[in-house]
Amino acid sequence: MSERFVVVPVGGGVGVAGEGEHPDAVVADPTPDAGGSCSSAGGTEEEKEAGEDSVFEPQDPNAVVPILEYNREPNKYGDGVPKENSPFINNTDNDKGNSYDGTNMALFEEEMDSNPMVSSLLNKLANYTNLTQGAQEHEEAEDDEGPKKKAVKSPQMGTFMGVYLPCLQNILGVILFLRLTWIVGTAGILESLAIVGLCCSCTMLTAISMSAIATNGVVPAGGSYYMISRSLGPEFGGAVGLCFYLGTTFAGSMYILGTIEILLTYIVPKAAIFVAEKKEDEPGALLNNMRVYGTCCLALMAVVVFVGVKYVNKLALVFLACVILSILAIYAGVIKTIFEPPDFPVCMLGNRTLQNHNFDRCLKTEVIDNVTVPTKLWKLFCDGPELNATCNDYFVNNNVTSLQGIPGLTSGVISENMWSDYGPLGMLVESKKLSSVGGSDPAQDIYMPYVVNDITTFFTLLVGIYFPSVTGIMAGSNRSGDLRDAQKSIPIGTILAIVTTSIIYITCVVLFGACIEGVLLRDKFGDSVKGNLVIGTLSWPSPWVIVIGSFFSCCGAGLQSLTGAPRLLQAIARDGIVPFLQVFGHGKANGEPTWALLLTAGICEIGILIASLDAVAPILSMFFLMCYLFVNLACAVQTLLRTPNWRPRFKYYHWALSFLGMSLCLALMFISSWYYAIVAMAIASCIYKYIEYRGAEKEWGDGIRGLSLNAARYALIRLEEAPPHTKNWRPQLLVLLNLDSDQGVKHPRLLSLTTQLKAGKGLTIVGNVLEGTYLTKEAEAKRAEQNIKSSMSTERTKGFCHVVVSSNLRDGFSHLIQSAGLGGMKHNTVLMAWPGTWRQSNDPQSWKNFIETVRETTAAHHALLVAKNVDSFPTNQDRLGEGTIDVWWVVHDGGMLMLLPFLLRQHKVWRKCKMRIFTVAQMDDNSIQMKKDLQMFLYHLRLDAEVEVVEMHDNDISAFTYEKTLMMEQRSQMLKQMQLSRTEREREAQLIHDRNTASHATINDKTESGPERVHMTWTKDKLFTERNRNRECNANVAVRDLFNMKPEWESLNQSNVRRMHTAVKLNEVVVNKSQGAHLVLLNMPGPPKNRGGDENYMEFLEVLLEGLNRVLLVRGGGREVITIYS
């Protein structure tokens, strides 16, 4: 799709229309993941104070053109810095001097502070500068210096130098020179081609996916890590990024081990510190030598990398020249074998290959001066130099023959090398075309100079050992901060490097199998050709070309790994997603990652201490394969989601190719080593969970977020189809919180109760209402939301926060109840705290809002939970001991009362509590049968609970009840006198108190002395005193009440009297049975239909709950929530 930019002239100015601009003129993609360290569009505070004096139409013709400073620095990339709000706009100091003074765009002039004109934007984009990676320290210094700042010069490399050559150098590494001949000899040409084809296909598919991601916006420093993290999110990005870092570090170990193996085995064998006395000790001595020399080599390379990346780049050209010369020498040697094969004889005893170190002639005896004398070979198999000495049986029975190690391209040896020859550890390397006579003793063979397998070989092992030879594909993207145009260079350079190396590997497999004898191919260390490098025997003009070339190749690849790995770790550390890695984000003044280099060297040393190239290779294969798997996954997810930001410049990709690459990576992981694959996945999973729980919250617009959105949308649409079945019903809570004057949460224990009730399951919406208008309260609303989220995090409440600004609290709560949630994910239960101070409040609106909320939930068919004394509820850290959760089942509410204790007991706070269910029987109920029925019902519900039936007799209404009702109505009457001043209300209240005192003194005639001061409501002591009096009077009390009826009592509303009687009697029973319970659950009576009795309703509830500590009032939503059916 071609892009066209046209600048339209406005007013009297001369317009310029540009079409077909240079493609590099605009390279920043306006996406969040391209916005490294760019400033917010709004600019600084001073810029905003300047009002409309902005940068949109400079009046001064000599004014400095504002420059976009685009920085790829990882520490400013998505780490919570507000600058990331704008992906590419940076209002510099130069902008402040320019002003906007025109009338053509006056309609938009108030928005100019935050939304620049297109002409200004394009000006900035065309003149952006690119700072080097790792330049945080430079930026900080520049911020201090202000206008005096100087540009930082960084190495700017193109495709060939920056991507193609590093990739080529990393891919054509140690495995090609040290192991490929052995793999061909062991697996055969056909299976070797299968191994090469599998691995190269995997990397090619990954490179295609990587190219798509790399060209979808600017790739900052730490390329591969940024590709994954910005596409799959911080958790996946951090986990895979660290795995890739470990893979790159272990790759450094492997290259260093390869370097030392070449040095000690083929260049200067006499430099070995540990020398084996016996043949069986040779492997151990070699490993110890590798450890010592490898550590020294690592230290030297670390110093070179510490000095600076530019020296590595200079050395890289030398090293790469050696690699190319070595490969050319191989092809030249192959051609030469057609005319004149090199002379490398392999000495065979029977069909067994002999190590040709300690003898020079492939003969048992030789004739010197007509005397037959034994050779050095004789002395290796016999116990003496004499001809009549006792010799090894196999040596005696078989002849010694000499095979040409490199018969040549036209010899037809290719047919013998087509098939595999796997075997166990210690298996002798034997020729299939030579005969052998028995008589060998396996116990003695290990001491003889035979060439043997040093490890057990099988196909999957060879896949794991070979795979690192194709893993250099990220070398270019890791150094993306040093590239002139990463979007262009990474795809072209990487794919060309893979194509080149794949051709080299495939041709080498075929040519090795066609030119070299099978027994020499299977001779890993070239023992049968006097310790020569096997691939070196094929080269022209000399084996030393390959030996020296491969030595420098391994050195260069090791340096590249030690350069890339610390930068990758630095990028991860500066992102701030893994807290314990923060220290590794620091570096030298020029941005070089010093601390990350030290850690890399330390981990690299672990691989060197393993010391075996064949053991280290499968480890790094796992880490690389996991990284490649997630690169493919990232591309597939982005392609399938079709996110608006997914617009790669590289067009030759498809989600099916990405899925194929992902499947291939997963298959190769388990083919190579299933146990290493499981360990690598476990490490990645641990890092993922650590970042999820402890890491910083990031929003990078990643594909996993997009995937979650799509999945959520699909699930919500499915949920909308039908209401949930009773079996799937669970409380989806809307928690109504109150905030104090500082926007802090008043009752955090309400959130604790939510967590204990939900155990992380289902929907939780925490809501709050602010009084006012949104335009004036926007800042307060955001602060309230932040405080609520902070409290939710502290109380481990998983859910959503919803703050509503409304003209009054009543409407706000109504809006919340009606509109919170989405589709099928709406709340079905409202949880709120009991307004404990409603009596002391001068504003009756506080308790009226509460009652209206109760009515709203009933009308919406939602369940309601009201927690009384919520501040005394246990925290999530408390562990309640032996105790009970008492359920008072007065009326059937759909089973909510049964379900809630069961859910609470799933949480560790309430786990030790037992459940007791009380139900109330009237006079005409059969209590015994009720208990049996209730036990059977609970049995079918699979709930463990004690059952008790409480009988409530129809007692006459006591004087206590009348008195309580009278006080309630008098108080209600008093508060209705809202037109009176506060002083007058207090005076009237005092008069009522005095009258109540006189009245009460008359009632308690000689039984109880009246208290010194009568409260508006009765105290707990007063309540129990009255009850005791009633019990003493027994049946006489009713008669006395009848004959002592006061005139005030006759005028009482009899409905209120009955309600108060119920509240008093039920409270007496509940307190008697459940005063010591950890929690009491009780049916909540509904509010009166007549709003005139609202305050009386609050009094009824107060009386009902008096004397109880933790109470949860429960009101059902009008549907069954628990079932006995499966």
Side-chain angles (χ1 to χ4, degrees):
M1 183 181 69
S2 62
E3 296 176 351
R4 176 175 173 175
F5 295 96
V6 180
V7 181
V8 182
V10 177
V14 179
V16 180
E19 189 168 349
E21 297 273 340
H22 188 279
D24 292 336
V26 179
V27 295
D29 191 73
T31 65
D33 40 285
S37 62
C38 303
S39 306
S40 170
T44 60
E45 295 277 331
E46 294 146 2
E47 289 168 337
K48 289 189 178 178
E49 287 171 9
E52 292 154 16
D53 296 339
S54 190
V55 298
F56 303 105
E57 213 171 279
Q59 299 299 306
D60 183 3
N62 299 319
V64 181
V65 177
I67 295 176
L68 168 65
E69 290 189 357
Y70 189 92
N71 178 13
R72 296 171 178 168
E73 187 49 31
N75 65 307
K76 298 290 172 76
Y77 197 102
D79 57 357
V81 179
K83 290 182 177 182
E84 197 184 11
N85 293 340
S86 171
F88 43 33
I89 301 169
N90 181 9
N91 293 330
T92 61
D93 292 339
N94 294 328
D95 301 340
K96 296 180 184 176
N98 302 320
S99 63
Y100 170 75
D101 183 18
T103 57
N104 291 299
M105 290 292 163
L107 186 61
F108 298 97
E109 62 187 7
E110 291 186 359
E111 299 175 19
M112 292 302 181
D113 282 341
S114 57
N115 300 322
M117 287 184 63
V118 175
S119 57
S120 172
L121 171 65
L122 294 178
N123 234 347
K124 290 167 180 279
L125 286 176
N127 293 285
Y128 85 101
T129 61
N130 178 7
L131 297 181
T132 183
Q133 59 177 352
Q136 179 191 21
E137 290 79 10
H138 284 295
E139 284 196 320
E140 290 169 351
E142 288 164 7
D143 289 341
D144 295 338
E145 292 171 12
K148 298 178 185 178
K149 57 188 177 187
K150 298 177 183 178
V152 179
K153 298 205 174 176
S154 62
Q156 295 292 302
M157 292 180 285
T159 304
F160 189 74
M161 283 289 295
V163 181
Y164 182 76
L165 295 186
C167 285
L168 210 63
Q169 190 171 349
N170 271 276
I171 296 172
L172 296 173
V174 59
I175 301 296
L176 170 64
F177 299 114
L178 295 185
R179 293 291 181 270
L180 191 58
T181 53
W182 173 72
I183 289 172
V184 172
T186 306
I189 293 173
L190 294 179
E191 290 186 26
S192 297
L193 287 174
I195 293 172
V196 172
L198 271 175
C199 297
C200 290
S201 301
C202 176
T203 53
M204 179 57 82
L205 291 169
T206 304
I208 291 171
S209 299
M210 186 185 75
S211 299
I213 299 171
T215 58
N216 188 49
V218 177
V219 180
S224 54
Y225 159 69
Y226 276 94
M227 288 182 211
I228 299 167
S229 62
R230 269 52 181 184
S231 297
L232 291 179
E235 294 88 2
F236 277 113
V240 181
L242 282 175
C243 281
F244 185 57
Y245 162 74
L246 292 173
T248 309
T249 306
F250 276 108
S253 301
M254 186 186 72
Y255 294 130
I256 292 171
L257 289 174
T259 304
I260 303 306
E261 184 177 309
I262 295 167
L263 181 72
L264 293 181
T265 310
Y266 307 113
I267 299 178
V268 279
K270 293 182 180 178
I273 299 172
F274 301 92
V275 180
E277 297 280 336
K278 301 176 182 176
K279 179 176 178 289
E280 59 269 24
D281 297 331
E282 288 177 2
L286 176 63
L287 294 181
N288 287 330
N289 285 319
M290 301 272 276
R291 292 181 180 111
V292 174
Y293 279 98
T295 304
C296 298
C297 184
L298 171 63
L300 184 63
M301 286 187 177
V303 169
V304 172
V305 172
F306 180 77
V307 169
V309 68
K310 60 181 179 179
Y311 298 106
V312 175
N313 289 334
K314 289 177 182 177
L315 291 169
L317 286 176
V318 178
F319 296 148
L320 191 67
C322 295
V323 176
I324 294 170
L325 284 174
S326 300
I327 293 170
L328 292 176
I330 294 170
Y331 287 116
V334 169
I335 295 170
K336 184 175 178 292
T337 61
I338 301 173
F339 313 106
E340 185 186 347
D343 183 30
F344 283 100
V346 177
C347 192
M348 308 291 295
L349 177 62
N351 64 351
R352 298 179 181 179
T353 312
L354 297 177
Q355 292 185 355
N356 193 358
H357 288 299
N358 300 318
F359 61 91
D360 50 0
R361 299 174 69 93
C362 188
L363 296 168
K364 290 185 181 181
T365 60
E366 57 183 337
V367 179
I368 300 176
D369 297 332
N370 294 324
V371 178
T372 302
V373 296
T375 60
K376 291 182 180 179
L377 180 60
W378 179 283
K379 297 172 185 176
L380 295 175
F381 285 90
C382 302
D383 57 6
E386 302 83 11
L387 290 173
N388 59 353
T390 305
C391 295
N392 179 272
D393 291 343
Y394 190 83
F395 181 74
V396 173
N397 295 334
N398 290 274
N399 294 324
V400 175
T401 55
S402 181
L403 274 180
Q404 187 54 258
I406 301 179
L409 192 61
T410 56
S411 63
V413 74
I414 188 171
S415 60
E416 298 170 15
N417 292 330
M418 277 289 179
W419 312 108
S420 61
D421 190 4
Y422 303 115
L425 169 67
M427 186 186 84
L428 301 173
V429 175
E430 299 175 339
S431 173
K432 296 175 183 176
K433 60 185 179 184
L434 295 177
S435 59
S436 171
V437 179
S440 65
D441 181 5
Q444 293 298 318
D445 288 345
I446 60 172
Y447 303 106
M448 298 296 127
Y450 297 127
V451 177
V452 297
N453 282 358
D454 63 333
I455 55 173
T456 302
T457 54
F458 42 90
F459 178 78
T460 57
L461 173 78
L462 298 187
V463 173
I465 291 174
Y466 174 76
F467 189 81
S469 66
V470 296
T471 56
I473 65 170
M474 296 286 192
S477 63
N478 281 346
R479 301 164 72 247
S480 54
D482 295 328
L483 298 175
R484 188 180 304 116
D485 182 1
Q487 287 197 35
K488 178 182 174 184
S489 298
I490 290 175
I492 296 173
T494 305
I495 292 176
L496 278 180
I498 292 173
V499 170
T500 307
T501 52
S502 299
I503 292 170
I504 291 172
Y505 282 131
I506 291 169
T507 54
C508 281
V509 166
V510 176
L511 294 175
F512 291 165
C515 294
I516 306 175
E517 183 64 49
V519 289
L520 181 55
L521 283 173
R522 296 198 297 278
D523 182 4
K524 186 186 287 186
F525 300 108
D527 291 322
S528 60
V529 284
K530 294 189 178 296
N532 274 302
L533 181 61
V534 175
I535 198 172
T537 60
L538 183 61
S539 66
W540 179 87
S542 165
W544 285 102
V545 175
I546 293 285
V547 172
I548 300 299
S550 59
F551 176 79
F552 283 115
S553 163
C554 293
C555 282
L559 282 171
Q560 291 285 358
S561 296
L562 288 177
T563 303
R567 287 165 179 257
L568 183 60
L569 182 64
Q570 186 184 45
I572 298 170
R574 287 183 169 179
D575 253 350
I577 57 172
V578 186
F580 67 83
L581 291 180
Q582 295 285 352
V583 66
F584 300 109
H586 305 298
K588 293 194 297 183
N590 63 350
E592 289 299 313
T594 310
W595 292 105
L597 178 62
L598 288 175
L599 179 67
T600 303
I603 297 173
C604 205
E605 179 64 18
I606 296 172
I608 287 169
L609 292 177
I610 294 174
S612 170
L613 192 73
D614 301 319
V616 173
I619 296 175
L620 63 102
S621 293
M622 290 305 118
F623 290 126
F624 278 120
L625 279 166
M626 183 166 290
C627 178
Y628 297 166
L629 184 150
F630 281 100
V631 168
N632 284 299
L633 176 63
C635 181
V637 166
Q638 296 276 34
T639 307
L640 288 174
L641 288 179
R642 296 174 184 165
T643 50
N645 179 51
W646 182 245
R647 302 184 299 276
R649 292 183 185 278
F650 180 81
K651 301 297 181 185
Y652 307 102
Y653 67 92
H654 193 270
W655 64 265
L657 291 176
S658 299
F659 267 114
L660 181 60
M662 187 175 67
S663 307
L664 202 53
C665 289
L666 190 63
L668 282 173
M669 284 179 72
F670 283 92
I671 286 172
S672 302
S673 174
W674 63 268
Y675 44 88
Y676 276 156
I678 291 172
V679 170
M681 287 179 170
I683 291 172
S685 301
C686 291
I687 298 169
Y688 179 95
K689 298 307 287 184
Y690 176 81
I691 295 173
E692 187 178 39
Y693 284 110
R694 298 294 302 276
E697 287 291 329
K698 300 288 179 185
E699 174 52 71
W700 286 331
D702 51 85
I704 293 297
R705 289 290 176 97
L707 195 61
S708 302
L709 279 171
N710 272 11
R713 180 185 61 83
Y714 175 76
L716 284 171
I717 291 172
R718 290 291 304 275
L719 280 174
E720 189 76 14
E721 292 175 1
H725 191 272
T726 302
K727 289 185 286 187
N728 291 328
W729 193 95
R730 64 169 65 249
Q732 316 284 12
L733 290 178
L734 169 62
V735 185
L736 300 180
L737 278 186
N738 291 325
L739 302 182
D740 56 26
S741 56
D742 297 327
Q743 308 300 328
V745 176
K746 266 188 182 177
H747 303 296
R749 297 289 177 86
L750 204 59
L751 295 175
S752 304
L753 177 62
T754 305
T755 304
Q756 294 155 22
L757 192 60
K758 302 291 291 180
K761 304 293 191 300
L763 175 71
T764 301
I765 302 172
V766 181
N768 175 253
V769 177
L770 295 180
E771 203 164 1
T773 61
Y774 186 69
L775 291 176
T776 58
K777 295 277 188 177
E778 180 191 2
E780 282 185 42
K782 288 183 177 176
R783 188 164 70 250
E785 191 169 337
Q786 288 301 320
N787 291 343
I788 292 173
K789 285 181 178 177
S790 175
S791 295
M792 289 173 68
S793 176
T794 304
E795 300 296 337
R796 297 180 183 175
T797 304
K798 294 182 179 179
F800 309 99
C801 176
H802 195 175
V803 176
V804 171
V805 182
S806 179
S807 56
N808 60 71
L809 297 178
R810 153 93 179 75
D811 289 345
F813 285 122
S814 176
H815 295 156
L816 267 179
I817 291 169
Q818 291 176 61
S819 62
L822 181 66
M825 282 297 282
K826 292 182 73 70
H827 60 279
N828 54 30
T829 306
V830 177
L831 172 62
M832 57 196 299
W834 172 259
T837 59
W838 70 275
R839 283 172 171 159
Q840 288 75 32
S841 174
N842 293 325
D843 183 12
Q845 206 59 41
S846 61
W847 52 266
K848 286 186 177 178
N849 286 338
F850 171 79
I851 296 174
E852 287 302 316
T853 305
V854 175
R855 287 195 174 103
E856 294 272 358
T857 56
T858 305
H861 302 290
H862 292 157
L864 176 65
L865 308 178
V866 179
K868 185 171 186 289
N869 298 330
V870 70
D871 292 329
S872 68
F873 275 62
T875 65
N876 292 324
Q877 286 71 41
D878 293 338
R879 299 292 179 269
L880 298 178
E882 297 293 333
T884 60
I885 300 175
D886 288 359
V887 176
W888 284 85
W889 193 19
V890 180
V891 295
H892 182 57
D893 58 354
M896 277 284 287
L897 282 169
M898 309 291 182
L899 188 61
L900 292 175
F902 169 77
L903 294 175
L904 280 174
R905 289 177 64 209
Q906 304 304 305
H907 198 276
K908 46 195 171 185
V909 172
W910 303 90
R911 193 161 290 159
K912 293 183 179 178
C913 296
K914 293 182 179 178
M915 181 176 164
R916 294 194 302 179
I917 295 184
F918 297 90
T919 190
V920 178
Q922 301 299 324
M923 284 293 292
D924 53 351
D925 290 331
N926 184 338
S927 303
I928 298 172
Q929 188 60 40
M930 277 181 69
K931 185 171 182 177
K932 287 181 179 178
D933 292 344
L934 185 53
Q935 286 173 335
M936 182 58 65
F937 180 57
L938 292 175
Y939 175 78
H940 286 307
L941 288 176
R942 291 92 64 203
L943 295 174
D944 295 325
E946 296 179 17
V947 175
E948 189 170 339
V949 178
V950 178
E951 296 181 354
M952 285 183 65
H953 300 293
D954 286 338
N955 291 338
D956 290 329
I957 298 171
S958 64
F960 169 77
T961 302
Y962 279 115
E963 188 65 22
K964 193 87 171 166
T965 310
L966 176 64
M967 289 170 56
M968 177 186 74
E969 291 195 355
Q970 287 176 337
R971 182 179 187 278
S972 177
Q973 183 66 29
M974 178 189 71
L975 292 180
K976 284 176 184 175
Q977 311 283 329
M978 295 304 293
Q979 70 273 17
L980 299 176
S981 68
R982 184 172 179 180
T983 309
E984 290 172 325
R985 286 206 308 272
E986 288 177 356
R987 191 181 303 122
E988 181 173 342
Q990 188 61 45
L991 291 173
I992 294 173
H993 291 171
D994 295 341
R995 187 163 67 247
N996 285 345
T997 304
S999 172
H1000 186 67
T1002 307
I1003 296 168
N1004 288 339
D1005 183 30
K1006 296 177 185 175
T1007 307
E1008 287 286 333
S1009 60
E1012 294 179 4
R1013 178 168 170 269
V1014 177
H1015 298 272
M1016 296 291 287
T1017 56
W1018 283 38
T1019 63
K1020 187 174 176 182
D1021 295 336
K1022 177 85 174 176
L1023 183 142
F1024 282 108
T1025 303
E1026 183 65 18
R1027 285 179 185 157
N1028 291 335
R1029 186 185 70 77
N1030 289 342
R1031 290 194 187 96
E1032 290 169 7
C1033 297
N1034 294 331
N1036 297 330
V1037 72
V1039 178
R1040 184 187 302 177
D1041 283 344
L1042 286 174
F1043 288 99
N1044 287 321
M1045 289 286 285
K1046 296 297 176 185
E1048 295 91 341
W1049 297 357
E1050 293 176 2
S1051 63
L1052 292 175
N1053 184 321
Q1054 291 305 307
S1055 173
N1056 286 345
V1057 173
R1058 289 197 308 275
R1059 290 168 186 268
M1060 183 63 77
H1061 175 68
T1062 303
V1064 169
K1065 295 300 292 180
L1066 190 55
N1067 174 259
E1068 184 179 348
V1069 173
V1070 173
V1071 170
N1072 185 35
K1073 294 284 187 183
S1074 301
Q1075 196 166 19
H1078 285 316
L1079 179 65
V1080 176
L1081 281 83
L1082 188 64
N1083 284 116
M1084 182 179 185
K1089 294 180 181 177
N1090 178 16
R1091 282 179 166 76
D1094 282 358
E1095 191 196 0
N1096 298 341
Y1097 172 69
M1098 297 294 289
E1099 282 286 357
F1100 294 142
L1101 292 181
E1102 280 284 5
V1103 172
L1104 181 62
L1105 305 177
E1106 202 164 1
L1108 298 171
N1109 183 20
R1110 297 187 194 120
V1111 184
L1112 194 61
L1113 288 171
V1114 180
R1115 186 161 174 75
R1119 62 162 294 169
E1120 293 293 330
V1121 301
I1122 196 166
T1123 178
I1124 64 174
Y1125 299 105
S1126 62

